[in-house]
């Protein structure tokens, strides 16, 4: 009896600890070019190991191998974050020094924590679903929103921020994180929608309800309008808008938006230019019945805002952030609550769309009476 697929992937990912410890002891890896070459070799060896692990019963979905490799790199990111915060030592110091030095920032550390925890769990869930032949559309879309947000902020922020002059060849190791999610997204959107089965009468009744009879939707619409305003406002703040309200906000509430590492500025741009249109579309989807795309949009938004707000909140309070850019003591709780609401709203929206989806069904199935007549 073989090892279960997710167990094998988890065991393979845990080899990140001995591998990183061994590589860290090789003095020749103080050269940036050598670090890049070793990184490529490790990824190739890992891909081969993932193939050999399931060679007797290879999965039909090739994303299995990508997620297995990503699970390994998630553990590497967890090691980086733990070492950067001083919890462990002797594993990835060489890489943070000559590989990707921008990971020693508060944003880099928090992004690694997220990748080493939430993304790692998502990879194991996706691997398990692939191994069992199950539909992983929901989990995949949540991961897609999260990983794309991470890359949209990390790569541009590293280039245009104060670490732009310290870009090393190892930054090219992030290329798979750009193109594989695009490929994965195409495959995920090609999978059947996971919509709970309901009879036509129930769907018709739900879709005929006016907005005032759907209190949760009213709350969600209020949140989405709030999120649109906040996203645009903070985007203007990050762009050095001369309005007095923007000036006061940057100095009294979130000076982190001016941190020269540029990650918070890029994050606000992502929110303003990518999330605001999705917020607006979601308002329409909650008002107009039959918008079945709401399930996909809500999951992508939930993943994006979860990753974005986790890194943004903890980075703005982290000790690696210079004191002048941290949240002032007088507005500590105000800023925290504001950012928590901003990040938790999409999670509630995704829950509503996925588990109470009758309002969003485009084509209603046959009613119970019609089904009874058909079988008589």
């Amino acid at each position: 009896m073989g090892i279960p697929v997710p167990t094998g992937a988890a065991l393979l990912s845990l080899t990140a600890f001995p591998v990183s410890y061994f590589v860290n002891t090789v003095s020749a890896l103080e050269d940036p070019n050598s670090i890049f070459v070793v990184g490529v070799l490790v990824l190739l060896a890992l891909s081969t190991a993932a193939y050999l692990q399931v060679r007797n019963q290879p999965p039909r979905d090739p994303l299995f191998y990508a997620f297995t490799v990503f699970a390994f790199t998630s553990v590497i990111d967890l090691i980086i974050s733990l070492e950067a915060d001083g919890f462990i030592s002797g594993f990835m110091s060489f890489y943070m020094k000559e590989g990707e030095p921008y990971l020693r920032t508060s944003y880099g550390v928090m992004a690694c924590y997220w990748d080493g925890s939430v993304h790692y769990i998502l990879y194991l869930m996706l691997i398990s679903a692939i191994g069992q032949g199950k539909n992983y559309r929901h989990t995949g879309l949540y991961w897609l929103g999260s990983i794309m947000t991470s890359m949209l902020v990390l790569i541009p922020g590293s280039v245009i921020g104060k670490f732009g002059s310290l870009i090393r060849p190892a930054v090219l190791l992030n290329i798979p994180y750009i193109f594989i999610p695009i490929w994965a997204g195409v495959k995920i959107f090609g999978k059947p929608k996971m919509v709970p089965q309901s009879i036509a009468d129930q769907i018709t009744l739900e879709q005929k309800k006016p907005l005032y009879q759907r209190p949760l939707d009213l709350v969600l619409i209020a949140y989405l309008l709030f999120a649109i305003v906040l996203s645009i406002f903070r985007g203007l703040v990050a762009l050095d808008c001369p309005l007095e309200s923007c000036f006061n906000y940057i100095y009294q509430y979130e000076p982190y938006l001016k941190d020269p590492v540029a990650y918070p500025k890029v994050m606000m741009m992502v929110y303003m230019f990518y999330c605001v249109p999705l917020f607006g579309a979601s308002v329409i989807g909650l008002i107009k019945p039959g918008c079945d795309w709401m399930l996909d949009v809500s999951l992508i938004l939930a993943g994006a805002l979860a990753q974005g707000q986790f890194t943004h909140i903890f980075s703005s309070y982290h000790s690696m952030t210079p004191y002048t850019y941290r949240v002032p003591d007088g507005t500590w709780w105000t800023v925290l609550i504001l950012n928590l609401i901003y990040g938790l709203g999409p999670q509630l929206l995704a829950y509503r769309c996925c588990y109470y989806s009758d309002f969003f069904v485009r084509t209603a199935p046959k009613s119970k009476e019609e089904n009874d007549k058909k079988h008589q």
Side-chain angles (χ1 to χ4, degrees):
M1 183 176 180
I3 300 176
V5 170
T7 303
L11 292 175
L12 188 61
S13 68
L14 293 179
T15 61
F17 283 95
V19 169
S20 60
Y21 185 81
F22 171 75
V23 174
N24 191 63
T25 62
V26 181
S27 59
L29 292 181
E30 294 179 359
D31 174 55
N33 294 322
S34 300
I35 291 176
F36 170 69
V37 171
V38 170
V40 172
L41 292 176
V42 169
L43 291 179
L44 290 175
L46 189 66
S47 301
T48 304
Y51 169 76
L52 294 176
Q53 179 189 0
V54 294
R55 65 185 183 278
N56 293 329
Q57 292 182 327
R60 295 182 178 179
D61 194 333
L63 283 176
F64 166 85
Y65 304 104
F67 292 143
T68 300
V69 173
F70 281 1
F72 175 89
T73 58
S74 288
V75 178
I76 290 290
D77 280 346
L78 181 61
I79 294 171
I80 290 174
S81 57
L82 292 173
E83 185 155 348
D85 273 341
F87 293 110
I88 59 176
S89 62
F91 288 88
M92 293 297 292
S93 57
F94 76 99
Y95 191 82
M96 288 186 284
K97 181 180 179 181
E98 297 296 342
E100 296 185 79
Y102 47 81
L103 294 180
R104 289 183 294 177
T105 63
S106 59
Y107 177 85
V109 171
M110 289 303 116
C112 286
Y113 271 124
W114 182 266
D115 192 49
S117 56
V118 176
H119 282 172
Y120 182 68
I121 294 172
L122 290 175
Y123 291 137
L124 294 183
M125 292 174 63
L126 291 166
I127 291 168
S128 178
I130 292 174
Q132 298 176 33
K134 294 182 179 179
N135 190 341
Y136 55 86
R137 185 184 179 98
H138 285 179
T139 307
L141 288 174
Y142 193 91
W143 165 78
L144 187 64
S146 178
I147 193 69
M148 293 302 291
T149 301
S150 178
M151 289 296 101
L152 283 172
V153 176
L154 182 65
I155 302 302
S158 301
V159 174
I160 69 175
K162 70 177 185 180
F163 285 90
S165 60
L166 298 176
I167 297 298
R168 306 282 195 264
V171 72
L172 297 175
L173 296 173
N174 289 294
I175 289 178
Y177 284 96
I178 298 174
F179 291 103
I180 289 180
I182 296 175
W183 170 47
V186 173
K187 292 185 68 64
I188 291 169
F189 277 110
K191 293 189 174 297
K193 290 182 179 293
M194 300 170 64
V195 181
Q197 296 296 319
S198 301
I199 61 175
D201 296 340
Q202 180 180 341
I203 293 174
T204 302
L205 180 64
E206 181 65 25
Q207 295 188 350
K208 284 184 177 181
K209 287 183 179 179
L211 188 58
Y212 65 83
Q213 291 185 357
R214 293 181 280 126
L216 178 57
D217 290 354
L218 280 173
V219 172
L220 289 171
I221 289 174
Y223 160 77
L224 290 168
L225 296 176
F226 154 80
I228 290 173
V229 172
L230 182 62
S231 300
I232 295 175
F233 176 71
R234 292 204 297 187
L236 295 175
V237 170
L239 291 173
D240 298 320
C241 177
L243 291 176
E244 184 178 357
S245 58
C246 295
F247 179 84
N248 292 335
Y249 185 84
I250 198 72
Y251 287 102
Q252 297 179 16
Y253 292 91
E254 289 199 83
Y256 177 60
L257 298 181
K258 300 294 292 182
D259 193 327
V261 296
Y263 297 120
K265 176 178 288 190
V266 176
M267 180 73 76
M268 296 306 111
M269 296 301 98
V270 170
Y271 286 162
M272 184 164 68
F273 292 112
Y274 291 95
C275 292
V276 165
L278 295 181
F279 288 143
S282 297
V283 172
I284 296 174
L286 288 171
I287 295 175
K288 181 181 178 181
C291 297
D292 59 347
W293 44 263
M294 275 291 290
L295 281 73
D296 297 341
V297 168
S298 64
L299 285 165
I300 292 173
L301 261 179
L305 269 293
Q307 195 281 338
Q309 285 304 100
F310 175 87
T311 52
H312 180 72
I313 291 172
F314 284 98
S315 297
S316 61
Y317 294 98
H318 198 275
S319 59
M320 286 188 181
T321 299
Y323 183 78
T324 53
Y325 296 115
R326 295 181 210 167
V327 177
D329 293 338
T331 56
W332 200 92
W333 281 105
T334 302
V335 173
L336 178 61
I337 292 173
L338 184 74
N339 278 297
L340 284 175
I341 293 174
Y342 187 76
L344 292 175
Q347 317 309 314
L348 180 60
L349 177 64
Y351 178 81
R352 188 267 186 266
C353 293
C354 293
Y355 290 96
Y356 301 95
S357 58
D358 289 349
F359 184 80
F360 308 107
V361 175
R362 182 185 296 272
T363 303
K366 294 182 179 181
S367 66
K368 184 177 180 180
E369 289 78 5
E370 290 175 328
N371 285 329
D372 291 341
K373 290 179 180 179
K374 181 178 179 180
H375 291 90
Q376 284 179 353

